[in-house]
Amino acid sequence: MTNKLKYFVANWKMFGNLASLKSANKINYYISSKKKLRSHSKIILCLPNTLIYFFKKNFHSKFISLGAQNCHQDEKYGSYTGSVSSYMLKNVGAKYVILGHSENRITGESNNVIKKKIKSALNQNLKVILCVGETLKEKNKKKTFSVIKNQIISSLGKKFNTNNIIIAYEPVWAIGSGKIPKTNKLETIFKLIKKNFKHKKAPVVLYGGSVNAKNIRNFSSVPDIDGFLIGGASQSPKKFIDIIKNYYK
Ligand code: 13P
């Protein structure tokens, strides 16, 4: 079953300074002026931690939810130099947190650590966007779904609360590469994820990896895709807004 609401989630990664808040506000301004769009779209900006509070305080946006891009597995405070907890993120205005991104998995973040991070985020009432996806090598070995399944089961279990957890399917080989999966492959993968992890209702599943204003129409023919996790193109308000516009064209 398809979730009606379409998600457009920006992942700014390690980009942006105080001046970039103007970009974020352009998105806010656009969404504020589009009542119809708001009724069927959910816009989430996952900003660097340094900008979350400033955005919240300056723009008081009713239409944009804020998210962070990672958190420490300990829920509140601890002697973990350089780390930020889910409690601290919640405290500055985050409602979502991206976890398990391949850019963090590649530095050694294990499914077990991701599991602890998910627990801490949920305890703080943050919604989790859990990233999963196969590498090129795994794709070539036709292991795509078994990799995804293992990543989901080892950090969430077979049954999870589909109200609090969003799955983002991001093939590692598609991130920042300009390459995207074939439509028929996406159809199969999204169906499999939704079918295998249905618990009361099917989870919200996003696609991420090289999404841009030109290729977004390729995805609109796959109804099981509930939205997008957008990296590079989300740092420009024009590109991000064009993705949304073209999706509905
Ligand atoms: P790109 O859109 O830059 O490929 O990044 C995708 C991503 O990693 C989003 O989390």
Side-chain angles (χ1 to χ4, degrees):
M1 204 188 74
T2 308
N3 288 279
K4 234 180 96 233
L5 209 58
K6 293 290 172 191
Y7 285 71
F8 295 90
V9 186
N11 175 9
W12 277 20
K13 308 193 177 184
M14 197 175 77
F15 291 95
N17 56 22
L18 287 177
S20 322
L21 289 174
K22 279 198 197 121
S23 302
N25 198 34
K26 281 187 187 155
I27 300 168
N28 182 30
Y29 186 76
Y30 175 76
I31 305 303
S32 312
S33 66
K34 301 279 178 222
K35 195 163 175 229
K36 202 167 151 222
L37 180 89
R38 290 200 311 267
S39 64
H40 48 77
S41 318
K42 174 100 188 135
I43 312 294
I44 304 166
L45 300 185
C46 296
L47 304 176
N49 295 344
T50 48
L51 299 181
I52 295 174
Y53 183 67
F54 288 100
F55 182 87
K56 184 181 152 72
K57 193 164 171 257
N58 288 327
F59 304 127
H60 304 282
S61 177
K62 280 192 282 195
F63 310 120
I64 287 181
S65 302
L66 295 174
Q69 303 166 15
N70 202 355
C71 69
H72 191 271
Q73 57 270 34
D74 262 32
E75 198 178 316
K76 199 167 179 191
Y77 295 133
S79 299
Y80 303 109
T81 304
S83 298
V84 172
S85 67
S86 49
Y87 168 81
M88 292 155 101
L89 294 172
K90 178 81 182 177
N91 185 248
V92 293
K95 295 261 190 300
Y96 292 80
V97 61
I98 295 172
L99 293 174
H101 196 285
S102 60
E103 287 155 7
N104 298 320
R105 289 182 190 265
I106 213 166
T107 64
E109 192 179 73
S110 64
N111 284 321
N112 194 32
V113 167
I114 294 165
K115 185 177 183 176
K116 290 180 183 160
K117 291 186 177 194
I118 293 173
K119 196 166 169 232
S120 87
L122 294 179
N123 281 345
Q124 288 299 323
N125 289 321
L126 290 173
K127 292 196 183 200
V128 169
I129 301 173
L130 174 68
C131 298
V132 296
E134 83 287 8
T135 61
L136 185 60
K137 211 168 155 190
E138 289 160 343
K139 175 182 177 276
N140 291 339
K141 285 188 184 163
K142 307 209 181 314
K143 285 190 169 166
T144 299
F145 189 64
S146 65
V147 167
I148 296 173
K149 199 169 166 186
N150 177 48
Q151 287 171 333
I152 296 179
I153 290 181
S154 36
S155 52
L156 285 173
K158 184 104 176 76
K159 289 182 182 167
F160 52 87
N161 185 340
T162 47
N163 290 323
N164 297 338
I165 311 274
I166 292 172
I167 305 290
Y169 170 53
E170 298 206 303
V172 180
W173 53 270
I175 295 175
S177 66
K179 296 189 181 119
I180 56 170
K182 293 202 176 78
T183 310
N184 62 342
K185 292 269 186 281
L186 283 174
E187 272 164 7
T188 309
I189 291 163
F190 274 71
K191 275 214 162 54
L192 280 171
I193 301 175
K194 294 209 164 197
K195 196 172 129 227
N196 276 268
F197 297 100
K198 190 170 172 173
H199 178 50
K200 294 190 181 145
K201 61 181 172 64
V204 170
V205 189
L206 314 180
Y207 169 78
S210 293
V211 172
N212 62 39
K214 281 199 186 116
N215 64 25
I216 189 71
R217 295 290 306 159
N218 291 33
F219 300 104
S220 29
S221 62
V222 187
D224 277 323
I225 299 182
D226 297 308
F228 305 92
L229 182 54
I230 304 158
S234 73
Q235 291 150 30
S236 142
K238 179 170 174 358
K239 288 182 184 167
F240 188 66
I241 291 167
D242 280 350
I243 289 174
I244 302 173
K245 279 186 187 162
N246 290 354
Y247 180 80
Y248 290 112
K249 240 183 202 168

